[in-house]
Amino acid sequence: MESASLVWTLWRLIDRLSKLVRLTAVDTSIESCTEQIRKSFCEFQLRFTNYQYTASRHHREFKNHFFLKPNDSSLAYGRLNAFLERGFKNLCADSTMRIVHYFTETHRHKIGPRVSIIMKDDRGHLVEVVSLPNWLSDPVEWSGNDTSFLDVAETGLPHLTNNIPEAAKRTGVFCHSKLDVDKIRKSYQYKRRDNKLWARFRNNILRREKKDVLWGEMRAGTKTSTKWLPKSQLIVPITFRAHANEHRLDSGMVKTLRLSNEGRSTLGFICIEHPATFYFDNGPVDSFSNIDINVLYIFADMLSWVFITQLMYTVGSSTYLNFRKEQGGKAA
């Protein structure tokens, strides 16, 4: 028994030393990484079950009101909408905090990432539902023309840029809502410390980041700020696209929730940013070798249940749509 314990301890030590030598982004043990995922899923399971159950009760109440007294359903309709919106934001906020916790526990850099949950509204515009923490960068109105979102929409895969300054400086086509790309190309001096080897050394060994004052001046617009600007970005889609395209979802649900439409299949995005370059695992985005992407897909799949629940009791409900139609589309 003692021999087995010693072997296990030595294996963990070798694994730890190997990560330090290779300067991997995910600098933690398998136990620590899976512990974060397990705790996150257990907490989400409880909160989502309560949300789904209470949402069904509010919808049933609204449906009964509409069936018995169609002209006296506004209060029940308002309660349903208020609960769905509040519960939706709370679950997104909880998941956001869990994602921040995953990165702070499994990546050695003392500065945590900024995590945003972004959704598409009825007009196809990108709306930031929640973001934490807010000290990394100022709130921003995201643009669907950002290279990262266009890349996700075109490929259906996550988008990873581990060196935004280099991408903005050297890539012919690059767009980011927070950055003045033209200014970057004209006046920003690319720094050697942003190269992979030096960046990983700072992230894992020094665990700190010296503020790049010049990079802070590359902010889009005329507003000045002392907050950080991102140098690494990872976006994972919240989507049912593959299931819809492969006909693995019930056809009635696909039709009712409009999942067959290419633009509607991607319900939202998880966007993570950090002021250091090469903060994320740089394994290919289309393989299972990228640990960060594997973990974020778990969160994305969990959040898809929240998005789908909200859709089921709104645009997926004939009662909800009929009420809005009778109100002339003015109900909100």
Side-chain angles (χ1 to χ4, degrees):
M1 191 71 176
E2 293 181 0
S3 177
S5 177
L6 178 60
V7 170
W8 179 246
T9 301
L10 288 174
W11 182 88
R12 292 180 65 179
L13 179 60
I14 293 171
D15 178 64
R16 174 70 178 142
L17 290 173
S18 175
K19 286 184 171 67
L20 285 174
V21 171
R22 290 185 287 116
L23 295 177
T24 58
V26 184
D27 188 59
T28 187
S29 66
I30 296 174
E31 296 93 332
S32 178
C33 187
T34 54
E35 178 187 2
Q36 302 307 317
I37 300 170
R38 178 179 176 181
K39 287 181 177 179
S40 296
F41 194 88
C42 287
E43 184 66 24
F44 176 84
Q45 182 185 44
L46 172 64
R47 292 180 179 274
F48 174 75
T49 300
N50 288 334
Y51 172 68
Q52 202 279 335
Y53 174 75
T54 308
S56 67
R57 289 174 63 87
H58 278 296
H59 183 265
R60 184 167 65 247
E61 178 191 3
F62 166 59
K63 189 174 182 179
N64 291 338
H65 271 278
F66 186 75
F67 179 75
L68 297 173
K69 298 178 181 180
N71 297 324
D72 190 27
S73 305
S74 296
L75 289 178
Y77 173 85
R79 283 193 292 269
L80 171 64
N81 267 337
F83 175 79
L84 288 174
E85 182 178 357
R86 183 174 64 254
F88 177 80
K89 288 185 177 180
N90 286 342
L91 281 168
C92 286
D94 289 339
S95 296
T96 299
M97 287 188 289
R98 288 289 177 178
I99 294 171
V100 171
H101 190 62
Y102 158 75
F103 279 104
T104 55
E105 289 295 314
T106 61
H107 293 55
R108 287 182 55 79
H109 204 297
K110 289 184 178 180
I111 298 177
R114 182 182 194 265
V115 180
S116 304
I117 307 297
I118 300 167
M119 66 176 293
K120 288 184 176 180
D121 63 16
D122 293 338
R123 297 170 296 175
H125 296 165
L126 299 181
V127 179
E128 193 171 82
V129 179
V130 63
S131 64
L132 293 170
N134 61 8
W135 49 261
L136 180 58
S137 55
D138 293 305
V140 64
E141 184 175 341
W142 291 97
S143 169
N145 293 324
D146 278 22
T147 305
S148 51
F149 293 109
L150 289 174
D151 187 33
V152 174
E154 181 179 349
T155 65
L157 297 171
H159 173 91
L160 172 62
T161 303
N162 250 332
N163 193 337
I164 292 178
E166 181 182 45
K169 191 80 174 174
R170 302 180 183 179
T171 304
V173 178
F174 185 85
C175 180
H176 191 290
S177 298
K178 297 175 184 175
L179 301 173
D180 187 333
V181 179
D182 288 337
K183 189 175 181 180
I184 293 172
R185 289 172 180 158
K186 292 176 182 177
S187 61
Y188 181 71
Q189 184 65 40
Y190 181 75
K191 295 174 174 54
R192 291 183 180 180
R193 67 188 180 96
D194 284 336
N195 290 332
K196 181 180 177 181
L197 185 61
W198 284 110
R200 285 281 167 79
F201 178 79
R202 289 198 321 278
N203 296 347
N204 290 15
I205 307 300
L206 301 180
R207 303 182 63 196
R208 64 176 184 266
E209 189 70 21
K210 182 179 179 182
K211 201 155 192 176
D212 187 341
V213 178
L214 182 58
W215 182 246
E217 296 174 0
M218 300 298 111
R219 187 179 307 276
T222 57
K223 182 180 178 181
T224 59
S225 174
T226 59
K227 294 185 178 181
W228 296 86
L229 279 179
K231 285 190 174 182
S232 295
Q233 183 186 56
L234 174 59
I235 295 178
V236 172
I238 302 169
T239 178
F240 267 95
R241 175 178 295 164
H243 300 302
N245 290 348
E246 295 169 14
H247 307 291
R248 295 164 62 189
L249 279 174
D250 183 273
S251 59
M253 176 179 283
V254 171
K255 182 178 180 180
T256 301
L257 301 182
R258 308 169 192 175
L259 296 179
S260 56
N261 180 280
E262 186 71 7
R264 190 59 160 168
S265 299
T266 300
L267 305 172
F269 307 88
I270 301 175
C271 177
I272 307 95
E273 298 175 311
H274 196 271
T277 56
F278 291 95
Y279 178 75
F280 303 108
D281 188 349
N282 62 310
V285 299
D286 58 348
S287 75
F288 290 102
S289 63
N290 191 307
I291 298 173
D292 287 335
I293 288 178
N294 288 343
V295 172
L296 286 173
Y297 259 124
I298 296 174
F299 282 101
D301 288 344
M302 291 192 304
L303 284 168
S304 71
W305 301 345
V306 184
F307 278 74
I308 288 296
T309 297
Q310 188 189 49
L311 290 173
M312 283 176 59
Y313 293 121
T314 53
V315 298
S317 166
S318 58
T319 306
Y320 188 94
L321 295 178
N322 287 334
F323 177 81
R324 289 180 63 91
K325 186 177 180 181
E326 288 193 7
Q327 296 295 312
K330 296 180 180 180

Coordinates of all heavy atoms in Angstrom, one line a residue, residues 186-224:
K186 N -0.1 51.2 -37.5 CA 0.7 52.4 -37.8 C 1.7 52.7 -36.6 O 2.8 53.1 -36.9 CB -0.2 53.6 -38.0 CG -1.0 53.5 -39.2 CD -2.0 54.7 -39.3 CE -2.9 54.7 -40.6 NZ -3.8 55.8 -40.6
S187 N 1.3 52.5 -35.4 CA 2.1 53.1 -34.3 C 2.5 52.1 -33.2 O 3.4 52.4 -32.4 CB 1.4 54.3 -33.6 OG 0.2 53.8 -33.1
Y188 N 1.9 50.9 -33.2 CA 2.3 50.0 -32.1 C 3.6 49.2 -32.4 O 3.7 48.6 -33.5 CB 1.2 49.0 -31.8 CG 1.5 48.1 -30.6 CD1 1.5 48.5 -29.3 CD2 1.8 46.7 -30.9 CE1 1.8 47.7 -28.3 CE2 2.1 45.9 -29.8 CZ 2.1 46.4 -28.5 OH 2.4 45.5 -27.4
Q189 N 4.5 49.2 -31.4 CA 5.8 48.5 -31.6 C 5.6 47.1 -30.9 O 5.5 47.0 -29.7 CB 6.9 49.3 -30.9 CG 8.3 48.7 -31.1 CD 8.7 48.7 -32.5 OE1 8.5 49.6 -33.3 NE2 9.3 47.6 -33.0
Y190 N 5.6 46.1 -31.7 CA 5.5 44.7 -31.2 C 6.7 44.4 -30.3 O 7.8 44.7 -30.6 CB 5.4 43.7 -32.4 CG 5.2 42.3 -31.9 CD1 4.0 41.8 -31.5 CD2 6.3 41.4 -32.0 CE1 3.8 40.5 -31.1 CE2 6.2 40.1 -31.6 CZ 4.9 39.7 -31.1 OH 4.8 38.4 -30.7
K191 N 6.3 43.7 -29.2 CA 7.4 43.5 -28.2 C 7.8 42.0 -28.2 O 6.9 41.1 -28.2 CB 6.8 43.9 -26.8 CG 6.6 45.4 -26.7 CD 6.0 45.7 -25.3 CE 5.9 47.3 -25.2 NZ 5.3 47.9 -26.3
R192 N 9.0 41.8 -28.0 CA 9.5 40.4 -28.0 C 9.0 39.6 -26.8 O 8.9 38.4 -26.8 CB 11.1 40.4 -28.0 CG 11.7 40.8 -29.3 CD 13.2 40.7 -29.2 NE 13.8 41.1 -30.5 CZ 15.2 41.2 -30.7 NH1 16.0 40.7 -29.7 NH2 15.6 41.6 -31.8
R193 N 8.7 40.3 -25.7 CA 8.2 39.6 -24.5 C 6.9 39.0 -24.7 O 6.4 38.2 -23.9 CB 8.2 40.6 -23.3 CG 7.2 41.7 -23.4 CD 7.4 42.7 -22.2 NE 6.5 43.8 -22.2 CZ 5.4 43.9 -21.5 NH1 5.1 42.8 -20.8 NH2 4.6 44.9 -21.6
D194 N 6.2 39.3 -25.8 CA 4.9 38.7 -26.1 C 5.1 37.4 -26.9 O 4.1 36.8 -27.2 CB 4.0 39.7 -26.9 CG 3.5 40.8 -26.0 OD1 3.3 40.5 -24.8 OD2 3.1 41.9 -26.5
N195 N 6.3 37.1 -27.3 CA 6.5 35.8 -27.9 C 6.2 34.6 -27.0 O 6.2 34.8 -25.8 CB 7.9 35.6 -28.5 CG 8.2 36.6 -29.6 OD1 7.3 36.9 -30.4 ND2 9.4 37.0 -29.8
K196 N 5.9 33.5 -27.5 CA 5.4 32.3 -26.7 C 6.3 32.0 -25.6 O 5.8 31.8 -24.4 CB 5.2 31.1 -27.6 CG 4.6 29.9 -26.9 CD 4.4 28.8 -27.8 CE 3.9 27.5 -27.0 NZ 3.7 26.4 -27.9
L197 N 7.6 31.8 -25.8 CA 8.5 31.3 -24.7 C 8.5 32.3 -23.6 O 8.4 31.9 -22.4 CB 9.9 31.1 -25.3 CG 10.9 30.4 -24.3 CD1 10.4 29.1 -23.9 CD2 12.2 30.3 -25.0
W198 N 8.7 33.6 -23.9 CA 8.8 34.5 -22.8 C 7.5 34.7 -22.1 O 7.4 34.9 -20.9 CB 9.3 35.9 -23.4 CG 10.7 35.9 -23.7 CD1 11.3 36.0 -24.9 CD2 11.8 35.9 -22.7 NE1 12.7 36.0 -24.8 CE2 13.0 35.9 -23.5 CE3 11.9 35.9 -21.3 CZ2 14.3 35.9 -22.8 CZ3 13.1 35.9 -20.7 CH2 14.3 35.9 -21.5
A199 N 6.4 34.7 -22.9 CA 5.0 34.9 -22.3 C 4.7 33.7 -21.3 O 4.2 34.0 -20.2 CB 4.0 34.9 -23.4
R200 N 5.0 32.5 -21.7 CA 4.7 31.3 -20.9 C 5.6 31.4 -19.6 O 5.2 31.0 -18.5 CB 5.0 30.0 -21.6 CG 3.8 29.7 -22.6 CD 2.6 29.2 -21.8 NE 1.4 29.1 -22.7 CZ 1.2 28.2 -23.6 NH1 2.0 27.2 -23.8 NH2 0.0 28.2 -24.2
F201 N 6.9 31.9 -19.8 CA 7.8 32.0 -18.6 C 7.2 33.0 -17.6 O 7.1 32.8 -16.4 CB 9.1 32.5 -19.1 CG 10.1 32.7 -17.9 CD1 10.7 31.6 -17.3 CD2 10.4 34.0 -17.5 CE1 11.6 31.8 -16.3 CE2 11.3 34.2 -16.4 CZ 11.9 33.1 -15.8
R202 N 6.7 34.1 -18.1 CA 6.1 35.1 -17.2 C 4.8 34.6 -16.6 O 4.5 34.8 -15.4 CB 5.7 36.4 -18.0 CG 6.9 37.2 -18.4 CD 6.5 38.7 -18.7 NE 5.3 38.8 -19.5 CZ 5.2 38.6 -20.8 NH1 6.3 38.3 -21.5 NH2 4.0 38.7 -21.4
N203 N 4.0 33.9 -17.4 CA 2.7 33.4 -16.9 C 2.8 32.4 -15.8 O 2.1 32.4 -14.9 CB 1.8 32.9 -18.1 CG 1.5 33.9 -19.1 OD1 1.6 35.1 -18.9 ND2 1.0 33.5 -20.3
N204 N 3.8 31.5 -16.0 CA 3.9 30.3 -15.2 C 4.9 30.5 -14.0 O 4.7 29.9 -12.9 CB 4.2 29.0 -16.0 CG 3.1 28.6 -16.9 OD1 2.2 29.3 -17.1 ND2 3.2 27.4 -17.3
I205 N 6.0 31.1 -14.3 CA 7.1 31.2 -13.3 C 7.0 32.6 -12.6 O 6.9 32.6 -11.4 CB 8.5 31.1 -14.0 CG1 8.5 29.8 -14.8 CG2 9.6 31.1 -13.0 CD1 8.3 28.5 -14.1
L206 N 7.0 33.7 -13.3 CA 6.9 35.0 -12.6 C 5.5 35.3 -12.2 O 5.3 36.0 -11.2 CB 7.4 36.1 -13.6 CG 8.8 36.0 -14.1 CD1 9.1 37.1 -15.1 CD2 9.8 35.9 -13.0
R207 N 4.5 34.8 -12.9 CA 3.1 34.8 -12.6 C 2.6 36.3 -12.5 O 1.7 36.6 -11.8 CB 2.8 34.2 -11.2 CG 3.2 32.7 -11.1 CD 2.9 32.1 -9.8 NE 1.4 32.1 -9.6 CZ 0.9 32.0 -8.4 NH1 1.6 31.8 -7.3 NH2 -0.5 32.0 -8.3
R208 N 3.2 37.1 -13.3 CA 2.8 38.5 -13.3 C 2.9 39.1 -14.7 O 3.5 38.5 -15.6 CB 3.6 39.3 -12.3 CG 5.1 39.5 -12.6 CD 5.8 40.4 -11.7 NE 7.2 40.6 -12.0 CZ 8.2 39.8 -11.5 NH1 7.9 38.9 -10.7 NH2 9.4 40.1 -11.9
E209 N 2.3 40.3 -14.9 CA 2.3 41.0 -16.2 C 2.6 42.4 -16.0 O 1.9 43.1 -15.2 CB 0.9 40.8 -16.8 CG 0.9 41.2 -18.3 CD 1.6 40.3 -19.2 OE1 1.9 39.2 -18.8 OE2 2.0 40.8 -20.3
K210 N 3.6 42.9 -16.7 CA 3.9 44.4 -16.6 C 3.0 45.1 -17.6 O 2.8 44.6 -18.7 CB 5.4 44.6 -17.0 CG 5.8 46.1 -17.0 CD 7.2 46.2 -17.4 CE 7.6 47.7 -17.4 NZ 9.0 47.9 -17.8
K211 N 2.3 46.1 -17.1 CA 1.3 46.8 -18.0 C 2.0 47.4 -19.2 O 3.0 48.1 -19.1 CB 0.6 47.8 -17.1 CG -0.7 48.2 -17.7 CD -1.7 48.8 -16.7 CE -3.1 48.9 -17.2 NZ -4.0 49.4 -16.2
D212 N 1.4 47.1 -20.3 CA 1.9 47.6 -21.6 C 1.2 48.9 -21.9 O 0.0 49.0 -22.3 CB 1.6 46.6 -22.7 CG 2.2 47.0 -24.1 OD1 2.6 48.2 -24.2 OD2 2.4 46.1 -24.9
V213 N 1.8 50.0 -21.5 CA 1.2 51.4 -21.6 C 0.8 51.7 -23.0 O -0.3 52.2 -23.3 CB 2.1 52.5 -21.0 CG1 1.5 53.8 -21.2 CG2 2.4 52.2 -19.5
L214 N 1.7 51.4 -24.0 CA 1.4 51.7 -25.4 C 0.2 50.9 -25.9 O -0.6 51.4 -26.6 CB 2.7 51.4 -26.2 CG 2.5 51.7 -27.7 CD1 2.2 53.2 -27.9 CD2 3.8 51.4 -28.5
W215 N 0.2 49.7 -25.5 CA -1.0 48.8 -25.9 C -2.3 49.4 -25.4 O -3.3 49.3 -26.0 CB -0.8 47.4 -25.4 CG -1.9 46.4 -25.8 CD1 -2.8 45.8 -25.0 CD2 -2.1 46.0 -27.2 NE1 -3.6 45.0 -25.8 CE2 -3.2 45.1 -27.1 CE3 -1.6 46.3 -28.4 CZ2 -3.8 44.5 -28.2 CZ3 -2.1 45.7 -29.5 CH2 -3.2 44.8 -29.4
G216 N -2.3 50.0 -24.2 CA -3.5 50.6 -23.6 C -4.0 51.8 -24.4 O -5.1 52.1 -24.4
E217 N -3.0 52.4 -25.2 CA -3.4 53.5 -26.1 C -4.0 53.1 -27.4 O -4.5 53.9 -28.2 CB -2.2 54.4 -26.3 CG -1.6 55.0 -25.1 CD -0.3 55.8 -25.4 OE1 0.1 55.7 -26.5 OE2 0.3 56.3 -24.4
M218 N -4.1 51.7 -27.6 CA -4.7 51.2 -28.8 C -6.2 51.0 -28.7 O -6.8 50.4 -29.6 CB -4.0 49.9 -29.2 CG -2.5 50.0 -29.4 SD -2.0 51.1 -30.8 CE -1.3 52.5 -29.9
R219 N -6.8 51.5 -27.6 CA -8.2 51.3 -27.4 C -9.0 51.9 -28.5 O -8.7 53.0 -29.0 CB -8.6 51.9 -26.1 CG -10.0 51.6 -25.6 CD -10.2 52.3 -24.2 NE -9.2 51.8 -23.3 CZ -9.3 50.7 -22.6 NH1 -10.3 49.9 -22.7 NH2 -8.3 50.4 -21.7
A220 N -10.1 51.3 -28.9 CA -11.0 51.9 -30.0 C -11.7 53.1 -29.4 O -12.1 53.1 -28.2 CB -11.9 50.8 -30.5
G221 N -12.0 54.1 -30.2 CA -12.7 55.2 -29.8 C -11.8 56.2 -29.1 O -10.5 56.1 -29.0
T222 N -12.4 57.3 -28.6 CA -11.6 58.4 -28.0 C -11.5 58.3 -26.5 O -10.8 59.0 -25.8 CB -12.2 59.7 -28.4 OG1 -13.6 59.8 -27.9 CG2 -12.2 60.0 -29.9
K223 N -12.3 57.3 -25.9 CA -12.3 57.2 -24.5 C -11.0 56.6 -23.9 O -10.5 55.7 -24.4 CB -13.5 56.2 -24.1 CG -13.6 56.1 -22.6 CD -14.8 55.1 -22.3 CE -14.9 54.9 -20.8 NZ -16.0 53.9 -20.5
T224 N -10.5 57.3 -22.9 CA -9.3 56.8 -22.2 C -9.6 56.0 -21.0 O -10.7 56.2 -20.4 CB -8.4 58.0 -21.8 OG1 -9.1 58.8 -20.9 CG2 -7.9 58.8 -23.0

